[in-house]
């Protein structure tokens, strides 16, 4: 289940990213870069159904110079694109999701005066494991 959902999130992210933004798959990706991570898995009960609330984080890394002048507008537009692309998104072919993905918040995680700045886009989705299947 994790791998299938990771692939869905990564595919969606890659489809949303402008050409100048790299998916951060290497050890030292060019900036700006984005990478999804599974950040949490919490068991919940909805009525009599056991479900899990999964938290995914999209780490958006930008260089310090990207936050100055005209480039800052591009970074803010990138965060808007990710939010708009994931909030209320439900991947095709995944049975057992209890509703769409939601963007819980966007926050700055790390700011360095002369280094990288990291934003986190936090997504949640509820899954019913007994029903989950990728078709």
């Amino acid at each position: 289940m994790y791998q299938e959902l990771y692939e869905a999130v990564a595919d969606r992210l890659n489809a949303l990213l402008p050409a100048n933004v790299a998916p951060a798959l290497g050890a030292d990706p060019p900036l700006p870069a984005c990478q999804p991570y599974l950040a949490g898995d919490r068991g919940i009960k909805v009525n009599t159904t056991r479900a899990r609330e999964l938290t995914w984080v999209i780490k958006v890394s930008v260089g310090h110079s990207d936050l100055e002048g005209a480039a800052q507008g591009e970074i803010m537009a990138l965060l808007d694109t990710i939010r708009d692309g994931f909030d209320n998104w439900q991947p095709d072919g995944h049975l057992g999701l209890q509703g769409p993905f939601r963007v819980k918040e966007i926050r700055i995680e790390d700011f360095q005066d002369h280094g990288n700045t990291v934003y986190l886009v936090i997504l949640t989705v509820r899954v019913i494991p007994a029903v989950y299947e990728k078709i």
Side-chain angles (χ1 to χ4, degrees):
M1 175 175 68
Y2 288 146
Q3 185 62 34
E4 290 90 353
L5 286 171
Y6 171 83
E7 289 171 3
V9 169
D11 289 347
R12 177 73 169 176
L13 183 60
N14 288 337
L16 293 170
L17 294 179
N20 68 325
V21 179
L25 301 177
D28 193 16
L31 297 179
C34 298
Q35 174 67 40
Y37 295 95
L38 176 65
D41 182 343
R42 182 173 65 99
I44 58 174
K45 194 171 184 181
V46 180
N47 297 325
T48 59
T49 303
R50 292 192 182 275
R52 288 159 52 188
E53 185 174 77
L54 303 181
T55 301
W56 294 85
V57 170
I58 298 174
K59 178 182 169 185
V60 180
S61 301
V62 299
H64 177 68
S65 62
D66 291 330
L67 294 175
E68 298 175 355
Q72 183 173 5
E74 292 179 23
I75 297 305
M76 297 301 117
L78 173 61
L79 293 171
D80 278 342
T81 296
I82 294 170
R83 171 183 278 287
D84 294 346
F86 279 99
D87 198 39
N88 211 27
W89 169 68
Q90 190 155 353
D92 293 331
H94 291 261
L95 299 178
L97 297 183
Q98 192 178 39
F101 276 76
R102 297 286 184 199
V103 175
K104 186 175 178 181
E105 70 177 299
I106 297 175
R107 71 171 182 246
I108 193 164
E109 179 68 11
D110 188 23
F111 176 79
Q112 300 175 6
D113 282 337
H114 299 290
N116 296 344
T117 297
V118 175
Y119 291 93
L120 300 180
V121 180
I122 301 170
L123 313 172
T124 59
V125 67
R126 288 187 176 176
V127 180
I128 303 170
V131 179
Y132 181 80
E133 179 181 357
K134 183 178 183 225
I135 55 171

